[in-house]
Amino acid sequence: MSFHLKSFLLCVPVLLNVSQAQIRTVPCLPENGFAERIRSAVDSVWIVDTHEHLETEEARISRAADLDFTHLFRHYALEDLTSASNSYDIIGVIFGSDFSEQERWQLFEPYFSAMRSTGYGRVPLIVANDLYGISDITTTTYEELSQQIRQASKPGLYRDVLKKRARIELSIQDGGHQQFDPQFFHHVERFDDFIMLSSASAVELIAQRTGVSIQNLDDYLAALREAVISGVERKMVGIKSALAYNRTLAYGNCDPEQAQQLFAELLSGKNLSFDALKSLQDFVMHRLVDLAEEFDLPIQIHTGLQAGNGNIITNSNPTHLTQLIMSHPRVDFCLFHGGYPYGGELAVLAKNFPNVYIDMCWSAIISPSYSKRYLHEWIETVPANKILAFGGDYSVVELVYAHSVMARRIVAGVLIEKVESGYLTEKEGIAVANRILRQNALEVFHLQGQTRKPDSLAVLQRSGNLQQWWQIHRSTEGFIRNWMVIGPFEFGSGLNDVLPPERKFDPSSKFTGRGEDVTWQKIVTGESGELNFLSIFQKNVKIKQGDLTGMAYALAEFKSAKEKDIKLSLGSNDGAKIWLNDEVIYNRHLGRRAFADNEFLDIHVKKGWNRLLVKVENLGASWGLYVRLIDPDAEIEMREFK
Ligand SMILES: [Zn+2]
C-alpha cells in the first residue's frame, strides 16, 4: 500500500465536517406505522409450507364421531404432557377411548395446566380461540370444544383451515410413497429403509417390495434407483431423510470395494460389527444423494430435536453432515427444524455451503423465542434466499393453522425489530418476509417454474456478450473428453520447472512422481468435461495422506480438416501452462476454482493432427481442468486413445 499526501489532504475537510456533525448511528428512521404495515404484509403472504404429515381429509372425516378435545393435543402436545406427567400409562388412558370424556379430562387437566405454557401447549389454545371461538380450554369449555371439533369434520375442512384461515397455498407432505390432492399438496419421499441396512432379512424385504433380485450391492443400488424413479413418476419434489432418529448424521466416505465386501458378508448371514454396518449405510446414503443429483431433487434432512420422548440429541447435530454436504456440492440440502438447539451450527453451514438451506419447519412451536433469536441471526449471516421459515409438521389440520399464526408472529416480530433498529428498511424487511415464507420454497422445490438457478436470470436471456457466453457454457459441445493423464509430480518451484512429460510423449514411459512412480493413464471424462485429478490420483500415496499439492499433465490430440483460427476455452484449478504443437500458448500461475469457460484463448490449429499438452498445478484442495474447443465448422475430430 502506498501513501498519497494529496488524497490525505483531500480527506481532511471531510474528517473535520464529520467531527462537527452529529454522528448518526441509525441510518434511517422507519416511517410511522411501519410495524403495522410489516405485520399486515407478513399476514398476507400466501405461504409455501415445506413440511407436513397431514392425514387426508377423508380419513379425518371418517373418524369424526370419535373425536374430542384430545384431538388438538395429539402429536407434539402429547409429548409435553408425557414430560409433565412422567407417566406413559396416564397419557395412554387420556388418549384412549376406554373411559368417559369427563374422566379423561380430569386426568388431563393437571398436566395441561403444567404444559400450557410451552410452545406445543399454545397451539391448541390458539385453535380453540381462533377457529372455535373458545377463549380458553377449561373444565367448563372442553365439551363444547369436543363438539365443535366433531362438527367441523366435514368436507371443505381443509380448504377452510389451510387456504382461508392459514393462507397456505401449498404444503410439502412427508407422507410416504403416494400422490396427494394437488390442490393442497406436493410431496417428498423417504428411502431411509434402504440406508438402514442391518441384516440379510432386511435386504430380502426390500427385494420382495421392489421386485429386484438382490445378489450383491450393485443389485441393491439398482433397487434403490428403481424406488427413486417410482417416486419421480409420482412427481415427488424432493427426498426426505429422518435418520437422526436411528443413528448419527455423520456419513463417512466408504470405498466401493469395501462396501461390496461388507454387503456380501451381510447377505451371507454374517453379523456385522456396528462400525462395519455404519460404513455400509454411509456408502448407500452417498449413493442416494447421487440419485438426488441425477434427478435434480433437493434433500430434506432432519437435524436437531427428535419427536417423541427419549432420543439421543447429539446424533442429530447438523455439523455431522459436513462431509456429506461437501461431497455433493450440486445437491441442495434443506436442514430441518432450525437445527434446534444447534442454531449457530446451522448458521455456519448455510453461510459456508452454497448448497445448504435452513428450514425452520416445526421450530416456531418448539420454541418461539429460539426461532426469533436465530431468525435474527440467520438474516444477518445467511443470504435471504436460503431460509425457509415455515413448515407446519403436523398430522392434525387445525394445528397447522395455529402453527402458521405463531410462525408469522415470529417473522413479523423479527422484521419489525430489524426495521426499528435501522438494520433493514421497511421495504427490505417485507421482501425478506416474502422470500422466507414463500418464494424460497418455490425455488428449492422447483415449483411454478421458479428456481434460483442461473437459467432464470433475465440478463442471460437477452442478446449480448453474457448470453453468448451462457449459450456456450450451458452446452456440452466441444469439450475435450479423451485425455492421457500423468501425475502427480512434485510442485517444485512451479509451472516453469521442466518435468519429463513435457520433453517427449511416450504413452509407455514411467517417471518418478510424488511418493511413487507414475505412468500415463487413459481418461474419458463425463459430459460435463471435468477432468478431476484428485479422483484420478486417489490411489496415490501422497493424495491418500491428504497432501494434495503437485503438478499434473493432460494430453489430447485432435484433427482439423484445415489450418485455421479457433477459440479454446479453459477452466483450471489452479494455474496452468499449455502447449499447442510444442509451442507455449498459455502460462499462468494463480489459485482458483475450476469452471468451464473461465477464460477464452485464440488458438491457431494446423491441418491434420494437433497435440495439446496442459500442465495443471495444484496449490491445495480441489484439482481439475476443463478444455473446450469452439470450432464454428464443427469438424474437429478428437483422438480416442487406446
Ligand atoms: Zn416432520
Side-chain angles (χ1 to χ4, degrees):
M1 192 170 73
S2 61
F3 179 79
H4 295 285
L5 184 63
K6 198 175 142 202
S7 59
F8 174 75
L9 290 174
L10 281 172
C11 281
V12 170
V14 178
L15 290 171
L16 288 178
N17 267 344
V18 168
S19 68
Q20 283 159 4
Q22 226 175 13
I23 304 271
R24 223 171 49 166
T25 55
V26 177
C28 172
L29 283 176
E31 281 172 42
N32 276 344
F34 74 95
E36 261 329 293
R37 286 193 298 276
I38 289 174
R39 249 179 236 118
S40 92
V42 168
D43 285 347
S44 66
V45 175
W46 276 97
I47 288 178
V48 177
D49 164 3
T50 59
H51 183 55
E52 293 297 353
H53 302 278
L54 283 165
E55 62 178 343
T56 62
E57 191 181 76
E58 297 72 51
R60 160 65 184 265
I61 293 168
S62 71
R63 294 188 300 114
D66 304 325
L67 300 179
D68 60 30
F69 70 93
T70 60
H71 190 59
L72 303 186
F73 291 84
R74 292 192 178 273
H75 220 146
Y76 301 119
L78 186 151
E79 294 166 14
D80 281 356
L81 285 163
T82 306
S83 186
S85 65
N86 195 16
S87 172
Y88 289 92
D89 316 7
I90 295 293
I91 299 304
V93 170
I94 293 171
F95 287 88
S97 56
D98 295 330
F99 294 87
S100 73
E101 188 177 351
Q102 189 190 9
E103 287 164 320
R104 291 184 294 112
W105 168 263
Q106 285 166 5
L107 280 180
F108 168 86
E109 202 277 330
Y111 299 122
F112 173 45
S113 77
M115 62 69 72
R116 58 183 289 144
S117 49
T118 71
Y120 299 166
R122 304 322 283 171
V123 170
L125 290 164
I126 293 174
V127 172
N129 185 70
D130 291 12
L131 300 184
Y132 296 127
I134 295 170
S135 63
D136 195 1
I137 303 174
T138 66
T139 307
T140 54
T141 63
Y142 76 87
E143 283 170 304
E144 193 203 333
L145 179 61
S146 296
Q147 204 189 348
Q148 290 218 36
I149 291 168
R150 288 189 288 271
Q151 270 171 9
S153 305
K154 54 177 196 264
L157 172 69
Y158 276 35
R159 176 154 290 281
D160 264 10
V161 174
L162 293 175
K163 302 263 188 194
K164 281 197 194 139
R165 301 305 303 261
R167 284 180 85 79
I168 293 174
E169 181 172 329
L170 280 172
S171 301
I172 310 285
Q173 276 274 64
D174 173 6
H177 306 275
Q178 54 177 309
Q179 260 181 318
F180 295 87
D181 184 349
Q183 62 174 328
F184 299 108
F185 303 116
H186 281 283
H187 82 288
V188 294
E189 297 192 17
R190 299 188 188 196
F191 303 90
D192 287 349
D193 52 346
F194 282 90
I195 314 295
M196 285 309 291
L197 269 169
S198 56
S199 63
S201 54
V203 173
E204 184 48 37
L205 280 179
I206 283 182
Q208 283 169 14
R209 208 184 63 215
T210 57
V212 175
S213 151
I214 298 172
Q215 308 302 329
N216 54 43
L217 184 58
D218 288 339
D219 294 342
Y220 190 72
L221 296 176
L224 173 60
R225 192 162 196 282
E226 283 306 310
V228 170
I229 289 172
S230 303
V232 170
E233 285 165 358
R234 282 184 292 269
K235 297 195 165 58
M236 67 175 178
V237 296
I239 290 172
K240 165 79 192 297
S241 177
L243 288 175
Y245 286 90
N246 308 80
R247 47 157 286 165
T248 167
L249 291 179
Y251 298 101
N253 287 323
C254 169
D255 77 58
E257 281 135 55
Q258 193 200 349
Q260 295 279 5
Q261 174 66 31
L262 290 172
F263 190 86
E265 288 173 21
L266 187 79
L267 267 198
S268 74
K270 196 176 156 197
N271 273 331
L272 295 191
S273 70
F274 176 83
D275 285 347
L277 271 181
K278 181 181 175 296
S279 296
L280 194 50
Q281 294 173 0
D282 293 356
F283 181 82
V284 179
M285 183 62 168
H286 279 276
R287 303 295 74 79
L288 176 64
V289 183
D290 287 343
L291 289 166
E293 176 171 350
E294 182 182 343
F295 293 99
D296 199 13
L297 297 164
I299 178 157
Q300 299 180 314
I301 299 189
H302 180 106
T303 75
L305 180 70
Q306 300 96 336
N309 298 87
N311 286 294
I312 301 167
I313 188 66
T314 47
N315 276 346
S316 73
N317 188 325
T319 56
H320 289 323
L321 291 166
T322 305
Q323 195 169 14
L324 191 71
I325 291 163
M326 284 171 82
S327 306
H328 303 274
R330 283 180 285 272
V331 176
D332 283 336
F333 289 83
C334 300
L335 305 190
F336 264 19
H337 310 314
Y340 188 86
Y342 303 106
E345 283 87 337
L346 206 50
V348 172
L349 292 172
K351 187 174 184 64
N352 282 349
F353 294 111
N355 56 332
V356 172
Y357 287 75
I358 294 173
D359 190 320
M360 296 175 69
C361 58
W362 191 22
S363 73
I365 57 166
I366 295 172
S367 165
S369 61
Y370 170 90
S371 303
K372 197 170 167 196
R373 177 158 48 106
Y374 277 106
L375 183 56
H376 259 298
E377 214 170 298
W378 293 331
I379 287 172
E380 294 159 7
T381 50
V382 177
N385 64 344
K386 294 176 62 189
I387 302 169
L388 305 159
F390 182 70
D393 205 355
Y394 264 129
S395 54
V396 175
V397 70
E398 291 100 319
L399 308 181
V400 174
Y401 160 78
H403 191 168
S404 77
V405 169
M406 290 171 73
R408 286 188 204 264
R409 268 184 214 157
I410 290 159
V411 170
V414 168
L415 293 173
I416 287 167
E417 286 175 21
K418 283 267 183 273
V419 172
E420 192 166 32
S421 68
Y423 185 89
L424 295 178
T425 64
E426 182 179 332
K427 194 172 158 208
E428 287 170 327
I430 290 171
V432 167
N434 263 304
R435 278 188 178 281
I436 68 180
L437 287 168
R438 176 182 172 79
Q439 180 64 25
N440 297 345
L442 293 175
E443 289 178 4
V444 179
F445 297 103
H446 309 147
L447 305 176
Q448 300 177 3
Q450 304 293 302
T451 163
R452 69 166 170 152
K453 291 180 181 171
D455 305 74
S456 64
L457 297 174
V459 67
L460 296 178
Q461 313 304 330
R462 285 195 294 272
S463 62
N465 291 336
L466 273 174
Q467 186 215 33
Q468 279 176 22
W469 172 78
W470 183 242
Q471 284 190 340
I472 292 169
H473 186 63
R474 65 198 306 237
S475 92
T476 53
E477 296 294 299
F479 280 121
I480 298 183
R481 296 180 50 196
N482 289 277
W483 294 97
M484 292 297 285
V485 171
I486 193 167
F489 291 93
E490 291 294 341
F491 188 87
S493 52
L495 288 167
N496 292 325
D497 279 355
V498 180
L499 300 179
E502 57 196 84
R503 293 202 189 97
K504 177 170 173 278
F505 175 55
D506 171 2
S508 64
S509 44
K510 187 191 235 182
F511 304 116
T512 307
R514 293 209 69 197
E516 60 194 30
D517 286 348
V518 293
T519 54
W520 288 98
Q521 309 177 51
K522 176 190 135 176
I523 303 290
V524 180
T525 76
E527 279 215 320
S528 73
E530 183 195 12
L531 198 54
N532 182 337
F533 293 113
L534 284 186
S535 68
I536 296 167
F537 302 149
Q538 61 180 323
K539 295 223 163 82
N540 174 268
V541 57
K542 292 282 184 180
I543 300 288
K544 270 203 217 156
Q545 289 162 6
D547 183 354
L548 308 180
T549 60
M551 289 289 171
Y553 289 87
L555 181 143
E557 292 182 334
F558 57 88
K559 191 176 172 186
S560 175
K562 57 179 190 201
E563 185 178 346
K564 62 183 170 184
D565 294 321
I566 62 167
K567 279 194 191 301
L568 176 153
S569 88
L570 168 72
S572 68
N573 174 340
D574 289 286
K577 186 171 182 176
I578 306 179
W579 293 260
L580 177 60
N581 300 323
D582 297 325
E583 199 181 306
V584 176
I585 56 166
Y586 181 90
N587 189 358
R588 201 166 168 211
H589 161 65
L590 79 172
R592 67 179 169 192
R593 201 175 254 272
F595 66 91
D597 316 305
N598 185 1
E599 285 187 80
F600 290 81
L601 315 179
D602 293 312
I603 63 169
H604 187 78
V605 303
K606 63 184 187 190
K607 182 177 174 187
W609 285 101
N610 291 259
R611 176 177 289 167
L612 187 77
L613 178 66
V614 187
K615 181 180 191 179
V616 185
E617 62 181 353
N618 196 30
L619 309 175
S622 45
W623 193 357
L625 175 69
Y626 296 85
V627 177
R628 191 202 297 266
L629 298 179
I630 300 156
D631 169 27
D633 312 327
E635 57 85 11
I636 286 178
E637 176 196 333
M638 303 313 289
R639 166 101 69 205
E640 290 176 22
F641 296 100
K642 295 207 179 72

